[in-house]
Amino acid sequence: MKKILFAASECVPFIKTGGLADVVGSLPKYFNKEEYDVRVIMPKYLCIKESLRSQMKYVTHFYTDFYWRTQYVGVLEMEYEGVHFYFVDSEFYFGGPWPYGNMYEDIEKFCFFSKAVLSILPLIGFKPDIIHCHDWHTGMIPCMIKETHNNDSRYNAIRFVYTIHNLAFQGNFGPEMLDSCLGLPYYLLDNGNVRFDGGISFMKSGILYSDKITTVSPTYSQEILTSQYGEHLEAVLNMRKYDLWGIVNGIDIELWNPKTDPEIPYHFDKVNIKSEKLKNKLALQKELGLDENKDVMLVGCVSRLTWQKGFYLLMEQLDALCAAPIQLVILGSGEKQIEQKFRELENGNKGKICFYQGYNESLAHRIYAASDLFLMPSLFEPCGLSQLCSLRYGT
Ligand code: ADP
Ligand code: GLC
């Protein structure tokens, strides 16, 4: 049986800020359990809901020297829908009200997480054949193992897959942290292996030290080889292009299922989609204070409100959008400028436009189910799951 350990910063149902969590949460479930034992390791954030945290079981703990302090590292585990999860516990690093978001603090947080993963491996009775790292947060793990545990039989047979979900976020930090946080030698800076723009890059390191690299669609695997989308790493990616694969994401078709979804008022499948989708639309119009009108085209949008998602492009067309005979519901949060614009738009168009500022998993399901059309104006999109969820709900 092949043993695979996913290492990631977020995962459904525990914590989610975007599509990364959807993929890390759903992919392990769909491996053939007779051939693969796929487990996941992630931080135990204090902001994971209590109903899930209370199900985690203590495995062990130890203390480690990290930066200039000695830090507690706890290990917990839990089985969820047939998948085994491990959690790294540190209230010092993972005790905040949200999982991450401030790059300066995040670097130290994920240096700590990477170091903890290495130390935990010999303690959990699970020796992975492959560690599958996701995005910049875990990009240092292959380098740390290959550079510092090369002669250690507990580690040196492990192979690495690195998935780039979004090349725009790279985890770049100052050279001084190489030794103090990661315990890595300075020659890695001199020989260029981890050096990027005078500092160190988690992303570059993941690309160079992993055995195989994947990204989340075949299109994106080609785009990132160009200067337009390569985020200054195109030369490094071109060096590794024979080990780079684009594998398109899927969604969890059990979680996103209009026939059984507990978050939507009217269930449907391909037989009754017309009548029941309409009922969902009327219910959402009522819930959000939009004019209740079955004939108007309802346009939905569920997104992080950032430049990447193309909202500045959309803003150039707002007058045309408001003049069109449609209703628009936007669920999202992010850059203040975009939020402010949508707030003004709603105020000037009550009953026609609704801006729900925030993150709301339950409402997202009802928007996918009720909308006639989904709006996704991304400037670039490594894969995108929102359009797949929309398709699943006939939108
Ligand atoms: P990205 O990961 O770049 O944000 P994806 O399309 O891959 O884009 O995934 C976004 C995921 O996050 C989808 O599952 C979407 O429903 C969810 N999502 C985004 N914004 C919100 C929000 N404000 N409330 C609830 N879910 C959201
Ligand atoms: C990233 C990308 C998005 C992709 C998601 C999951 O957040 O921006 O396009 O769908 O990761 O792979």
Side-chain angles (χ1 to χ4, degrees):
M1 166 123 33
K2 272 261 176 289
K3 298 197 208 70
I4 304 173
L5 183 66
F6 279 38
S9 59
E10 57 182 272
C11 175
V12 166
F14 303 101
I15 203 89
K16 169 170 164 181
T17 71
L20 170 63
D22 288 307
V23 175
V24 177
S26 57
L27 196 49
K29 272 169 65 176
Y30 289 90
F31 274 82
N32 176 351
K33 301 245 172 344
E34 266 141 43
E35 287 178 56
Y36 299 95
D37 184 353
V38 186
R39 305 189 181 190
V40 180
I41 188 160
M42 61 176 287
K44 182 198 169 223
Y45 302 106
L46 209 59
C47 52
I48 293 175
K49 36 179 207 227
E50 167 60 22
S51 57
L52 288 166
R53 268 191 295 121
S54 61
Q55 294 177 54
M56 298 172 185
K57 294 194 183 76
Y58 170 87
V59 179
T60 185
H61 78 272
F62 54 91
Y63 288 86
T64 188
D65 289 335
F66 181 75
Y67 225 2
W68 66 86
R69 306 179 182 96
T70 299
Q71 290 286 1
Y72 169 90
V73 184
V75 187
L76 293 98
E77 65 182 351
M78 173 178 165
E79 191 99 0
Y80 184 86
E81 294 188 348
V83 179
H84 200 111
F85 288 87
Y86 298 101
F87 302 90
V88 176
D89 185 17
S90 159
E91 287 199 8
F92 184 85
Y93 283 114
F94 307 128
W98 48 78
Y100 49 92
N102 170 339
M103 200 38 128
Y104 185 73
E105 291 171 4
D106 292 349
I107 292 290
E108 193 178 316
K109 224 179 239 189
F110 288 101
C111 284
F112 172 82
F113 178 69
S114 306
K115 201 170 169 208
V117 170
L118 255 70
S119 310
I120 286 167
L121 279 178
L123 308 177
I124 53 175
F126 180 71
K127 193 177 173 201
D129 300 297
I130 295 170
I131 299 184
H132 187 162
C133 300
H134 294 265
D135 261 355
W136 75 262
H137 319 89
T138 52
M140 274 292 164
I141 294 175
C143 169
M144 290 164 80
I145 293 188
K146 287 187 176 174
E147 291 290 348
T148 60
H149 292 70
N150 204 18
N151 297 320
D152 187 335
S153 60
R154 295 174 302 172
Y155 296 90
N156 58 11
I158 301 174
R159 295 292 172 263
F160 299 93
V161 175
Y162 184 54
T163 295
I164 302 169
H165 293 261
N166 193 340
L167 191 62
F169 301 100
Q170 302 185 348
N172 299 332
F173 59 105
E176 67 286 353
M177 291 171 93
L178 191 65
D179 173 50
S180 57
C181 274
L182 294 169
L184 287 169
Y186 274 114
Y187 68 74
L188 298 181
L189 202 61
D190 301 331
N191 70 13
N193 279 8
V194 301
R195 191 177 67 228
F196 183 71
D197 203 16
I200 291 147
S201 165
F202 271 69
M203 181 63 88
K204 178 180 176 183
S205 165
I207 294 168
L208 282 184
Y209 279 91
S210 298
D211 298 280
K212 295 286 173 198
I213 305 146
T214 75
T215 184
V216 289
S217 66
T219 310
Y220 196 55
S221 74
Q222 295 305 304
E223 285 175 343
I224 56 179
L225 298 176
T226 67
S227 57
Q228 193 180 352
Y229 296 102
E231 305 284 350
H232 306 290
L233 282 173
E234 61 273 15
V236 179
L237 284 158
N238 271 287
M239 274 166 58
R240 296 295 323 270
K241 74 176 175 189
Y242 298 107
D243 288 312
L244 170 66
W245 301 84
I247 303 172
V248 75
N249 284 334
I251 53 167
D252 184 342
I253 54 172
E254 288 167 18
L255 188 69
W256 299 101
N257 184 354
K259 212 171 163 179
T260 53
D261 190 337
E263 307 294 351
I264 68 173
Y266 301 98
H267 292 145
F268 58 91
D269 58 18
K270 63 183 176 195
V271 178
N272 61 357
I273 180 168
K274 208 165 169 203
S275 63
E276 301 313 286
K277 218 171 144 53
L278 193 60
K279 289 185 197 163
N280 279 299
K281 173 163 144 180
L282 289 165
L284 187 73
Q285 288 169 332
K286 189 166 184 189
E287 177 183 348
L288 298 178
L290 292 167
D291 298 337
E292 290 168 51
N293 177 348
K294 67 178 172 46
D295 296 319
V296 70
M297 181 192 272
L298 178 62
V299 181
C301 179
V302 178
S303 185
R304 290 185 288 120
L305 301 182
T306 68
W307 61 273
Q308 178 201 334
K309 297 297 179 176
F311 287 105
Y312 293 101
L313 205 64
L314 188 69
M315 275 170 201
E316 292 169 18
Q317 297 298 326
L318 283 186
D319 290 342
L321 200 72
C322 293
I326 59 161
Q327 285 181 346
L328 176 62
V329 48
I330 301 156
L331 165 62
S333 63
E335 291 168 26
K336 293 292 158 242
Q337 211 183 328
I338 306 174
E339 290 182 355
Q340 175 66 24
K341 198 76 198 170
F342 285 145
R343 177 68 55 232
E344 286 166 17
L345 199 67
E346 181 191 78
N347 288 339
N349 295 274
K350 285 279 180 206
K352 180 181 167 75
I353 294 178
C354 170
F355 171 46
Y356 187 107
Q357 193 250 324
Y359 186 90
N360 188 325
E361 191 69 37
S362 167
L363 178 59
H365 283 243
R366 288 193 292 288
I367 294 176
Y368 290 124
S371 300
D372 297 298
L373 184 138
F374 193 76
L375 178 68
M376 194 163 175
S378 304
L379 291 187
F380 70 92
E381 197 61 74
C383 176
L385 300 177
S386 303
Q387 83 282 11
L388 299 180
C389 298
S390 298
L391 283 170
R392 179 82 172 130
Y393 287 77
T395 299

